[in-house]
């Protein structure tokens, strides 16, 4: 019935609370009983102290005279309603009681015997009479001037009423303790349920999410930490669903990207194979080989991009850093893409700075990969007769620690809602343009590995500006 958090709460918290309440109730019961008994003893002691005044000048050891004096004391005793007074002779026999009834001689008088040997000449006793009545008594010894015992006076009080009161108070204390324990249990159970039930729902929802059901809805009951956790898991499920969709779109795009060059390669290979059975003209052969080489290169680029992405995700990408001239690397990339821009009817503008820039410390091939990716994207999204401009800046006064590379295009631009996500893995804002959607994520990771930054600004219909910042190599 009770398991998990509830079981631990019962075994730890409730058990401790039960022990504490039991100790408090027991202590209170003991205190009440102790106080009542002390009050009885105090009353008996106070009343019995009168004997010191009554028998202070008692000189004779005549038993008849002692009995007469004791009788007068008993007759004048003012607490007969509260207790019984007994006069005991020197042999330990009760000769007179305030009730007027004879005392059962079979009853022992342990307090009388103890009082005779006591230094104070008195002794308390608590016990049960032969009738079953619970009593408490004090006996004081009377001695003559020579110190011989001539008798004693015993004060006897019934404690039945007192015991009943103690029992009633004890029962009340136990009931109060049980009520407090029950109240704590009820409030604690409600609190535990308010945690366990939502946690159980969260566990079930998390299990569904783990099995791919990202549409799972989690009902938020209260605006507390559990509620915040519900919101967090709901947001996580939405993000996972979006990521899953992006991953599926990515797989679809990559499959298409791979299929296109493979289809072209296979098609031209089959064409050349069939044509080889007849006389193959040189023009057809050259065209087929050009397509196969071009598409093989494209296929290699896609595979390399996927491998780079895998290395970055697993932290296995190692940079071969060296001191290098960033302008020379960028110039090589611009030269590589110049013919493509001309063939596509686009303008690739780059004015190499005349000033000498400080060197950077980085991986030559990886940085060229970033430049190729950024400029390739700019050309890809720029229409015919559009412009892609590249500019390199370095200011030793305003920003002496960084070289800034700015690539601006006049393409279609990126919508504002897509702009924060374009550097995420699998995300692709424009589905109409070929591409895997991971090139920009890889470029951003490479820039971070170089302790640089990649920032994007864009406006729909205006174009996009990508700003790269690379730290310079500070030489002593």
């Amino acid at each position: 019935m009770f398991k998990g958090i509830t079981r631990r709460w019962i075994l730890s918290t409730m058990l401790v609370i039960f022990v504490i309440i039991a100790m408090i109730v027991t202590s209170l019961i003991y205190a009440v009983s102790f106080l009542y008994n002390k009050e009885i003893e105090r009353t008996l002691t106070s009343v019995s102290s009168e004997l010191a005044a009554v028998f202070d000048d008692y000189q004779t050891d005549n038993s008849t005279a002692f009995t007469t004096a004791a009788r007068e004391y008993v007759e004048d005793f003012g607490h007969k309603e509260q207790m019984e007074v007994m006069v005991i002779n020197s042999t330990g026999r009760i000769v007179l009681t305030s009730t007027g009834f004879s005392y059962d001689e079979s009853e022992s008088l342990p307090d009388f015997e103890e009082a005779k040997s006591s230094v104070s000449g008195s002794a308390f006793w608590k016990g049960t009479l032969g009738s079953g009545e619970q009593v408490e008594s004090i006996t004081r010894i009377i001695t003559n001037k020579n110190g011989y015992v001539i008798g004693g006076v015993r004060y006897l009080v019934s404690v039945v009423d007192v015991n009943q009161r103690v029992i009633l108070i004890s029962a009340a204390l136990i009931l109060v303790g049980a009520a407090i324990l029950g109240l704590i249990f009820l409030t604690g159970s409600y609190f535990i349920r308010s945690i366990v039930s939502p946690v159980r729902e969260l566990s079930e929802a998390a299990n569904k999410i783990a099995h791919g059901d990202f549409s799972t809805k989690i009902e938020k009951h209260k605006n507390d930490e559990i509620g915040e956790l519900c919101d967090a898991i709901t947001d996580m499920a939405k993000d996972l669903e979006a990521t899953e969709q992006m991953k599926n779109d990515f797989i679809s795009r990559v499959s298409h990207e791979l299929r296109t060059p493979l289809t072209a390669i296979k098609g031209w290979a089959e064409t050349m194979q069939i044509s080889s059975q007849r006389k193959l003209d040189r023009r057809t052969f050259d065209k087929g080989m050009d397509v196969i080489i071009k598409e093989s290169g494209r296929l290699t680029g896609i595979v390399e991009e996927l491998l780079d992405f895998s290395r970055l995700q697993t932290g296995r990408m190692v940079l071969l850093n060296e001191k290098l001239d960033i302008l020379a690397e960028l110039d090589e990339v611009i030269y590589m893409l110049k013919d493509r821009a001309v063939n596509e009817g686009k303008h690739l503008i780059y004015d190499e700075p005349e000033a000498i820039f400080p060197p950077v410390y980085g991986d030559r091939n990886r940085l060229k990969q970033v430049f190729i990716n950024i400029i390739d994207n700019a050309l890809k999204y720029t229409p015919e007769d559009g412009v892609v401009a590249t500019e390199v800046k370095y200011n030793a006064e305003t920003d002496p620690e960084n070289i800034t590379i700015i690539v601006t295009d006049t393409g279609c631009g990126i919508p504002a809602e897509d702009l924060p996500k374009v550097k995420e893995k699998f995300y692709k804002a424009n589905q109409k343009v070929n591409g895997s959607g991971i090139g920009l994520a890889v470029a951003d990771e490479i820039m971070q590995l170089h302790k640089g930054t990649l920032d994007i600004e864009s406006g729909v219909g205006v174009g996009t500006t990508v700003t790269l910042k690379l730290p310079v190599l500070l030489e002593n």
Side-chain angles (χ1 to χ4, degrees), residues 320-325 329 358-362 364 473 475:
L320 302 176
N321 291 330
E322 58 181 318
K323 180 180 178 182
L324 53 88
D325 181 359
E329 306 306 323
V360 300
Y361 188 69
R364 184 187 309 273
L473 179 62
E475 298 181 351

Side-chain angles (χ1 to χ4, degrees), residues 21-242:
I21 291 178
M23 291 175 62
I24 292 173
V25 170
T26 303
S27 299
L28 289 174
I29 291 173
Y30 174 80
V32 169
S33 178
F34 178 79
L35 289 174
Y36 269 109
N37 286 330
K38 279 298 179 182
E39 180 61 21
I40 292 173
E41 291 181 6
R42 188 190 67 78
T43 302
L44 288 173
T45 302
S46 175
V47 173
S48 65
S49 62
E50 299 172 353
L51 288 179
V54 175
F55 295 96
D56 183 50
D57 56 351
Y58 194 73
Q59 300 294 325
T60 180
D61 58 356
N62 186 283
S63 60
T64 302
F66 168 72
T67 302
T68 301
R71 185 183 301 276
E72 292 177 0
Y73 171 73
V74 170
E75 288 177 353
D76 296 333
F77 185 65
H79 304 284
K80 294 179 181 180
E81 299 296 327
Q82 299 178 9
M83 61 188 70
E84 180 181 0
V85 181
M86 303 175 183
V87 178
I88 307 171
N89 62 18
S90 60
T91 63
R93 180 173 174 273
I94 296 176
V95 295
L96 185 65
T97 66
S98 60
T99 60
F101 299 103
S102 60
Y103 189 78
D104 187 358
E105 294 187 0
S106 63
E107 295 283 357
S108 61
L109 300 174
D111 46 330
F112 177 73
E113 299 299 328
E114 184 180 347
K116 287 194 298 182
S117 58
S118 173
V119 176
S120 62
S122 64
F124 282 99
W125 176 74
K126 185 177 181 180
T128 304
L129 300 178
S131 61
E133 183 180 11
Q134 292 181 323
V135 296
E136 191 168 342
S137 66
I138 183 173
T139 298
R140 284 191 177 274
I141 299 300
I142 307 298
T143 59
N144 60 15
K145 62 180 180 179
N146 298 318
Y148 292 109
V149 177
I150 60 174
V153 178
R154 189 188 198 200
Y155 301 86
L156 187 71
V157 176
S158 174
V159 296
V160 173
D161 292 339
V162 172
N163 288 342
Q164 289 178 348
R165 290 196 204 103
V166 171
I167 291 172
L168 288 174
I169 294 173
S170 299
L173 289 172
I174 292 172
L175 286 175
V176 170
I180 294 172
L181 190 64
L183 183 61
I184 293 174
F185 181 81
L186 290 176
T187 54
S189 298
Y190 173 77
F191 175 71
I192 291 296
R193 280 198 304 271
S194 69
I195 295 177
V196 172
S197 296
V199 168
R200 189 175 292 116
E201 293 178 11
L202 289 172
S203 177
E204 293 173 357
N207 187 50
K208 291 179 181 178
I209 293 172
H211 287 82
D213 184 6
F214 302 118
S215 62
T216 302
K217 302 296 182 184
I218 303 175
E219 184 179 355
K220 179 179 176 180
H221 299 285
K222 294 182 179 180
N223 292 321
D224 53 9
E225 288 81 357
I226 299 293
E228 292 175 0
L229 183 58
C230 290
D231 289 339
I233 293 181
T234 300
D235 293 340
M236 179 191 71
K238 291 179 181 178
D239 291 341
L240 287 174
E241 185 175 19

Side-chain angles (χ1 to χ4, degrees), residues 253-285:
R253 287 195 303 271
V254 170
S255 300
H256 176 73
E257 291 289 324
L258 293 173
R259 189 183 298 113
T260 300
L262 286 173
T263 301
I265 292 170
K266 182 181 178 184
W268 274 102
E270 290 175 347
T271 300
M272 294 172 69
Q273 185 181 42
I274 294 172
S275 299
S276 66
Q277 298 174 3
R278 302 186 300 271
K279 188 177 180 180
L280 183 65
D281 63 280
R282 187 67 189 181
R283 181 180 177 185
T284 303
F285 177 81

